């Protein structure tokens, strides 16, 4: 546990730190006793000044930013809220997806089937994702496509639902992919690869990359 920061640190300065979150680990604790192991609790044991800025789904890996000062938290959080950050994810999706495009369909919580979310064109909160196919290959004889995903909005499960909406669920997705698509990989193949924003102290652009593990 004490090596978590050492093993997963991408960047650290006075105001914030950037972590490589592994797949399968919550960002923040859940409601029950068995869901208390999470990134922020591990970090707080090592660095008590750790402050939350944003989250990744438990099964998503990649870049996660935590503040170390209130100023850092406020200024970086505001950039996330006002869509002033630049984020790129990589995913492996089922089937052959060609070219590039945009999904502009609201994503909302499905209260009848928790924790699922659904694409609901009638809803009034927008959800916008740009996608671009970058590679085609096979896993266990099944065609898959590597896709670069740029979320413009930040709805819960947005990328996962939008890929399902296109008919190409993310490989390994236990919520939105078919059983056969889930079995192609032992994890959700969604990774936060790139993030850039303005430094809260210097006001200069900063940029971070995290290598894709699949």
């Amino acid at each position: 546990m004490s090596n978590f920061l050492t093993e997963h640190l991408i960047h650290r300065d006075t105001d914030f730190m950037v972590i490589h979150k592994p797949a399968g680990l919550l960002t923040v604790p859940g409601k029950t006793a068995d869901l208390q192991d999470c990134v922020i609790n591990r970090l707080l044991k090592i660095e008590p000044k750790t402050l939350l800025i944003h989250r990744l789904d438990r099964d998503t890996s990649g870049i996660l930013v935590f503040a170390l000062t209130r100023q850092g938290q406020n200024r970086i959080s505001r950039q996330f809220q006002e869509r002033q950050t630049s984020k790129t994810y990589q995913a492996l999706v089922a089937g052959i997806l060609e070219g590039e495009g945009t999904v502009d369909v609201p994503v909302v919580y499905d209260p009848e089937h928790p924790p699922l979310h659904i694409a609901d064109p009638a809803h009034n909160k927008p959800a916008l994702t740009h996608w671009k196919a970058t590679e085609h290959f096979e896993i266990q004889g099944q065609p898959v496509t590597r896709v670069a995903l740029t979320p413009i909005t930040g709805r819960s499960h947005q990328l996962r639902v939008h890929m399902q909406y296109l008919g190409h669920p993310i490989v390994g997705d236990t919520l939105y992919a078919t059983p056969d698509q889930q079995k192609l990989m032992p994890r959700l193949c969604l990774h936060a690869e790139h993030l850039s924003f303005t430094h809260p102290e210097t006001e200069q652009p900063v940029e971070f990359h995290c290598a894709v593990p699949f």
Side-chain angles (χ1 to χ4, degrees):
M1 186 81 74
S2 60
N3 292 326
F4 181 82
L5 186 56
T6 303
E7 294 172 1
H8 297 280
L9 185 66
I10 296 172
H11 168 87
R12 177 172 178 162
D13 63 27
T14 303
D15 293 283
F16 66 91
M17 57 184 168
V18 181
I19 302 294
H20 171 200
K21 187 189 90 65
L25 184 63
L26 290 164
T27 301
V28 297
K31 295 179 180 179
T32 56
D34 60 323
L35 297 176
Q36 298 308 296
D37 183 25
C38 60
V39 177
I40 194 164
N41 281 351
R42 292 189 183 190
L43 292 176
L44 283 167
K45 290 179 180 178
I46 306 164
E47 176 47 81
K49 294 185 294 184
T50 302
L51 297 166
L52 182 70
I53 290 178
H54 67 126
R55 309 180 189 194
L56 293 176
D57 286 351
R58 178 176 61 183
D59 295 333
T60 303
S61 59
I63 294 174
L64 197 54
V65 184
F66 292 89
L68 294 170
T69 63
R70 286 294 178 188
Q71 174 179 281
Q73 184 185 40
N74 292 338
R75 292 184 177 180
I76 300 172
S77 294
R78 189 178 304 119
Q79 293 180 62
F80 275 92
Q81 292 163 6
E82 297 179 358
R83 304 177 192 172
Q84 296 171 346
T85 62
S86 176
K87 296 176 279 187
T88 305
Y89 291 70
Q90 271 203 37
L92 299 183
V93 302
I96 298 175
L97 183 60
E98 301 276 8
E100 59 185 295
T102 299
V103 183
D104 185 3
V105 182
V107 173
V108 298
Y109 181 67
D110 182 0
E112 296 182 4
H113 303 93
L116 296 183
H117 289 65
I118 55 173
D120 181 2
H123 201 269
N124 61 0
K125 282 190 175 181
L128 187 64
T129 302
H130 298 318
W131 62 268
K132 182 177 182 180
T134 61
E135 183 184 5
H136 300 97
F137 57 100
E138 291 188 352
I139 299 175
Q140 300 180 28
Q142 299 299 311
V144 299
T145 303
R146 187 178 298 277
V147 184
L149 300 171
T150 304
I152 306 304
T153 53
R155 309 299 177 201
S156 293
H157 292 194
Q158 177 177 315
L159 300 179
R160 300 163 73 174
V161 172
H162 276 173
M163 291 301 97
Q164 181 196 43
Y165 181 80
L166 287 179
H168 297 274
I170 297 176
V171 170
D173 192 337
T174 57
L175 295 180
Y176 301 103
T178 67
D180 287 343
Q181 293 162 348
Q182 293 174 27
K183 294 174 185 175
L184 293 178
M185 289 289 276
R187 57 157 291 178
L188 173 72
C189 290
L190 179 61
H191 179 81
E193 177 187 26
H194 169 267
L195 175 66
S196 61
F197 54 89
T198 299
H199 194 286
E201 183 65 36
T202 68
E203 299 186 352
Q204 296 299 306
V206 288
E207 186 173 8
F208 304 99
H209 294 269
C210 185
V212 182
F214 48 77

